Amino acid sequence: MTFQTITQRLQRWRLSALIAAIVITTLSGCVSNYALKQDAARDAVIQGKYQEALQVYTKGDKATDYVDVLLNRGLSKFETTDYLAAENDLRRAEERIEELYTKSISRGVLSMVSNDRALAYSGTNFERGMIHYYRGLGFLERNRRDDFIIEGRSLSKYLTQLPELSKKSDTDFAFLQYFSGIGYDLGNQPNDAWISYERARTLYPKQLGTTPPFLPAISAVAAKRAGIISSDSLRRSGFSIPDSSYGRLIVLLESGVCAGLDQEDITIPIFETDQHHYGDDYDYAAFGRECRRRSYHTDPHLQIVDWLHVAIPKLDINGKTRVNSVQFSASGLGSEQLPLAVDLSDAFERDFNDRLPAILGRAVARTIVKRVSANTAKDQGGTGFYWLVKLLGEATETADTRSWALLPDKIFVYDKYVPNGSYHLSISANEDIIPVDKIDISDVKVEAGKSTIKRIRIRG
């Protein structure tokens, strides 16, 4: 080997190492930056610092089509009462999700040699439904009740079509069916409202373990208004019939931050078999025979020749609410404990468990592809190119931890027909008997024959 050849190889190796170092620094910086941003936003929401959460998703960022960014930015704007801007982000997220139903083969291939973040994020089934929930509430905050009614119908249509659109086990959700029923009720469509409420009653025991106590009464009233049951049947069932002076008061109390995803790093040793040969001598001279023989046997010996790094997502429940009981009182209506209406972390975990086998399958396949690529580079370009490909593989190996990270963990609900009037609401959120947050709201007006909906997010 000439001196010139050696010099060229050294230069090529140094260039490869330099490129690898640059790529590692850049990619790992992007990945860690995303994770840090997400954690910072979740911590801000837990403390009720919604403006700080919004800055996480807007500071230094240009307009983006990334669904997870649009969802989190939209909810951050909603929490800061910028409902119009929130609607724009949530609408764009919904449009982008629809666009992503046309899958990209090239991105699918790229995910096999880099990581799952090469695949466009399109949200979970439940997250897509919650877009309608927040858009609807945003319309109410802007006094656009007709748009809220339309959003409720859109949610119902989405839930109807979901079994055909998704292969996941969760293709219907009790809370979202209940919420779509509210939209039908406000739109004076009691028959459709009753269908949604009854669907929710069917799903609740499987998804929550119990049916919220307010739902049977609300469903019975919708059935009576639709002419499905008579007033006498309603009374015999133990339900009271609201008279013309009653209105409906709905309070949606959100707490905590929904479970998200964190990264779990796994290091896998690569073994190779080294065949060690052993022999024994046998000398029979003592028996008068000049005979000497050697018998051979082999002992396979495993030795570690390399290590591979695999990154997979794992559940992150750090934002789960401490609140396990909510005491609600309204002037003149007494006090009661609000029932849990939905556990969003549980829905997210079920979806994650559905996706996990495919995630692990891609991780294994990706590991094989990267290993073969590195060995091929070594055969064709030498040690320098082997390390270049290997380090690039390490740099791009990161778990897909994207989600609608700022969704609440749990939603408690008050839903009753009450006499018309103005009410003072007092809400105490507790961990066992220890207060976590307390909220008082004055002058909540309930009009006869109409529905008043209040949405509140508490700390903790």
Side-chain angles (χ1 to χ4, degrees):
M1 185 181 295
T2 65
F3 177 77
Q4 184 178 6
T5 303
I6 295 174
T7 303
Q8 289 175 346
R9 289 194 177 185
L10 284 173
Q11 289 176 342
R12 183 170 58 183
W13 186 89
R14 290 173 61 187
L15 178 60
S16 301
L18 178 59
I19 294 173
I22 294 172
V23 172
I24 289 174
T25 303
T26 303
L27 292 179
S28 61
C30 293
V31 171
S32 60
N33 185 49
Y34 179 88
L36 289 172
K37 284 173 58 175
Q38 187 165 274
D39 289 344
R42 289 165 64 87
D43 289 343
V45 168
I46 291 171
Q47 299 174 49
K49 300 177 180 179
Y50 304 122
Q51 191 63 45
E52 289 186 15
L54 175 58
Q55 290 176 357
V56 169
Y57 286 101
T58 55
K59 186 177 181 180
D61 284 346
K62 298 179 180 179
T64 176
D65 283 340
Y66 294 147
V67 169
D68 56 308
V69 174
L70 289 167
L71 291 175
N72 287 301
R73 191 170 63 192
L75 184 51
S76 298
K77 292 175 180 177
F78 186 98
E79 302 292 6
T80 59
T81 70
D82 191 352
Y83 301 114
L84 178 58
E87 155 64 15
N88 290 334
D89 275 346
L90 295 177
R91 174 178 48 80
R92 180 56 191 144
E94 184 180 24
E95 293 171 350
R96 181 63 178 147
I97 289 171
E98 293 177 359
E99 295 170 6
L100 292 174
Y101 272 114
T102 304
K103 295 182 179 179
S104 170
I105 297 177
S106 61
R107 283 187 175 271
V109 172
L110 183 58
S111 72
M112 298 303 295
V113 296
S114 58
N115 57 67
D116 279 358
R117 287 182 61 84
L119 300 171
Y121 183 76
S122 58
T124 69
N125 289 342
F126 193 81
E127 287 173 353
R128 296 170 197 167
M130 289 299 288
I131 293 176
H132 298 285
Y133 170 81
Y134 282 109
R135 288 185 65 187
L137 293 175
F139 287 135
L140 286 181
E141 293 288 350
R142 295 161 60 198
N143 295 317
R144 294 171 55 179
R145 295 177 73 88
D146 288 344
D147 288 323
F148 173 85
I149 294 168
I150 294 172
E151 202 62 41
R153 294 170 185 165
S154 298
L155 174 56
S156 180
K157 181 181 178 181
Y158 166 72
L159 294 173
T160 301
Q161 295 176 338
L162 191 52
E164 299 178 3
L165 299 174
S166 175
K167 296 179 181 179
K168 297 176 183 177
S169 58
D170 272 348
T171 55
D172 206 349
F173 304 95
F175 175 75
L176 295 178
Q177 285 285 1
Y178 158 70
F179 191 75
S180 71
I182 296 175
Y184 281 125
D185 251 340
L186 263 67
N188 197 28
Q189 296 176 275
N191 186 72
D192 291 323
W194 175 76
I195 292 173
S196 293
Y197 294 146
E198 286 302 297
R199 179 59 181 160
R201 289 184 66 182
T202 301
L203 293 168
Y204 260 123
K206 294 182 290 185
Q207 296 181 358
L208 197 61
T210 184
T211 299
F214 60 80
L215 187 55
I218 294 299
S219 180
V221 172
K224 188 266 177 184
R225 289 180 173 171
I228 298 171
I229 61 174
S230 65
S231 298
D232 290 339
S233 298
L234 192 64
R235 291 191 183 92
R236 285 195 296 270
S237 300
F239 299 115
S240 60
I241 304 174
D243 62 30
S244 58
S245 66
Y246 277 55
R248 186 176 173 184
L249 176 60
I250 303 171
V251 179
L252 305 162
L253 188 77
E254 303 175 3
S255 67
V257 177
C258 180
L261 296 176
D262 200 354
Q263 179 166 305
E264 182 170 14
D265 296 292
I266 301 174
T267 302
I268 303 172
I270 303 299
F271 294 95
E272 283 188 3
T273 302
D274 182 16
Q275 300 288 347
H276 289 270
H277 300 276
Y278 300 91
D280 295 311
D281 291 335
Y282 298 89
D283 189 354
Y284 297 95
F287 298 94
R289 288 176 296 174
E290 293 296 332
C291 179
R292 187 179 182 86
R293 75 176 183 180
R294 182 182 293 273
S295 62
Y296 293 95
H297 65 277
T298 59
D299 180 17
H301 175 69
L302 292 179
Q303 61 177 353
I304 298 174
V305 296
D306 204 352
W307 299 85
L308 287 178
H309 168 224
V310 179
I312 60 174
K314 65 177 181 178
L315 282 172
D316 177 8
I317 58 173
N318 289 334
K320 284 181 68 69
T321 181
R322 294 182 290 133
V323 175
N324 53 26
S325 68
V326 177
Q327 199 67 27
F328 174 90
S329 64
S331 50
L333 300 178
S335 177
E336 63 182 89
Q337 188 166 302
L338 295 190
L340 178 66
V342 63
D343 184 333
L344 282 80
S345 291
D346 184 61
F348 183 84
E349 183 174 354
R350 291 199 305 271
D351 181 274
F352 175 68
N353 289 335
D354 260 359
R355 292 185 287 134
L356 188 56
I359 292 172
L360 294 176
R362 287 193 298 270
V364 171
R366 193 164 57 241
T367 300
I368 295 172
V369 169
K370 290 180 178 180
R371 173 68 176 170
V372 171
S373 299
N375 288 338
T376 302
K378 183 177 183 180
D379 293 338
Q380 296 181 357
T383 304
F385 279 99
Y386 165 80
W387 282 107
L388 171 62
V389 174
K390 181 176 173 56
L391 292 175
L392 283 173
E394 291 288 324
T396 57
E397 184 59 31
T398 182
D400 184 5
T401 58
R402 294 171 295 179
S403 69
W404 195 346
L406 304 186
L407 281 175
D409 175 37
K410 290 181 173 62
I411 302 178
F412 302 84
V413 171
Y414 178 90
D415 189 344
K416 285 187 179 179
Y417 286 92
V418 300
N420 70 82
S422 182
Y423 293 91
H424 176 87
L425 308 183
S426 180
I427 301 167
S428 177
N430 310 304
E431 181 182 14
D432 298 326
I433 61 173
I434 302 174
V436 175
D437 199 5
K438 184 175 178 59
I439 295 176
D440 288 281
I441 305 175
S442 300
D443 199 26
V444 177
K445 292 182 172 57
V446 178
E447 299 182 40
K450 294 184 179 180
S451 296
T452 297
I453 303 175
K454 299 292 292 183
R455 178 264 183 186
I456 304 166
R457 188 157 186 169
I458 61 174
R459 294 187 298 273

